[in-house]
Amino acid sequence: KTNEVSPDAHPKDNEPIAPIATAAFHTLSGHDELNEQMRMIDLTEEDLSLLRLMKPTVEREIDYITDQFYNTVLGVNKLEAIILEHSSIERLKRTLKEHIIEIIDGNVDEQYIAKRLTIAKIHKRVGLEPKWYLSAFQNLQNVFITVVYGEVLKDNERLKVVQTLTKLLNLEQQLVLE
Ligand code: HEM
């Protein structure tokens, strides 16, 4: 009886139009290559929901996260000079806070993509080289992971949250460094 397969389980003459792309992957219409990128890093809808669960934690720790970020960035003379010339620490802290909350919201849509492309242009304009962007990013990731580990989670949940977080941060880098 347990081996019996329901006739609906394998719909032979009712195949979905895109048989490989399961509904679980996050996709955006009109972004074929980006969809492939997201599939390659295994970014699923489940990931995005899981991430949202971390929102209260990240909101609570947002000052810690951004302070850590800017302390290390300002430790590099070259980067401090770029910030003072083109912006201000206060202003950048504010934009970074909004930006981080947005990542955690996990609404990877048209606007999300467009905004990352704008950030890339801004960074290029102010002369921020990719190697510094990536260093700053790793610092952000370190702090993020520390914050997640501060939460009471089961081991498997913690692994999943950290994996999800690194997927989103990786996607961010793919978009900004393109
Ligand atoms: C602008 C994010 C690294 C310098 C921005 C903006 C965001 C952002 C969200 C605002 C874009 C907008 O106005 O629409 C990030 C992220 C980074 C990063 C996520 C790495 C994890 C850096 C670093 C520097 C830097 C290392 C150091 C020089 C700037 C400057 C602007 C800017 C000068 C222009 C701000 C303005 O117009 O006032 N960045 N950034 N960023 N970023 Fe970054």
Side-chain angles (χ1 to χ4, degrees):
K1 181 95 190 151
T2 47
N3 287 335
E4 232 173 61
V5 176
S6 129
D8 294 328
H10 299 285
K12 284 212 178 59
D13 41 14
N14 196 14
E15 286 282 328
I17 294 161
I20 299 170
T22 68
F25 290 113
H26 186 68
T27 55
L28 277 176
S29 69
H31 287 277
D32 293 350
E33 198 160 81
L34 178 63
N35 289 338
E36 280 184 320
Q37 288 165 252
M38 293 194 286
R39 194 167 70 198
M40 196 157 167
I41 63 169
D42 190 31
L43 182 67
T44 64
E45 295 297 348
E46 187 198 357
D47 284 319
L48 298 178
S49 319
L50 184 70
L51 208 60
R52 286 177 205 122
L53 295 181
M54 292 306 294
K55 192 173 177 181
T57 308
V58 172
E59 280 180 331
R60 196 185 64 228
E61 302 291 342
I62 195 74
D63 285 329
Y64 171 71
I65 296 171
T66 46
D67 286 348
Q68 291 292 315
F69 178 85
Y70 279 103
N71 286 343
T72 30
V73 169
L74 294 175
V76 180
N77 288 338
K78 210 174 164 178
L79 302 182
E80 185 184 22
I82 293 179
I83 292 173
L84 298 181
E85 189 187 337
H86 297 277
S87 186
S88 74
I89 294 156
E90 274 321 301
R91 188 177 150 157
L92 273 186
K93 264 191 188 168
R94 206 165 351 110
T95 31
L96 187 69
K97 275 182 199 176
E98 287 167 13
H99 188 77
I100 290 171
I101 301 291
E102 227 176 73
I103 295 179
I104 294 298
D105 275 331
N107 291 322
V108 180
D109 57 13
E110 205 66 50
Q111 205 194 338
Y112 187 96
I113 308 296
K115 184 157 174 220
R116 267 77 198 152
L117 300 180
T118 306
I119 295 171
K121 279 197 204 125
I122 294 174
H123 283 158
K124 200 163 179 186
R125 177 169 58 76
V126 302
L128 177 67
E129 295 164 279
K131 64 183 175 191
W132 294 115
Y133 170 77
L134 285 176
S135 307
F137 219 94
Q138 184 58 42
N139 175 267
L140 185 63
Q141 180 165 309
N142 294 346
V143 179
F144 251 135
I145 293 176
T146 305
V147 166
V148 170
Y149 267 70
E151 281 300 287
V152 186
L153 294 170
K154 295 190 194 111
D155 280 353
N156 60 340
E157 288 172 340
R158 186 179 295 133
L159 172 66
K160 189 86 189 153
V161 170
V162 169
Q163 277 179 337
T164 298
L165 200 52
T166 61
K167 285 181 202 176
L168 259 286
L169 295 180
N170 177 277
L171 177 67
E172 178 95 12
Q173 296 173 54
Q174 292 181 43
L175 291 169
V176 172
L177 292 180
E178 197 176 275

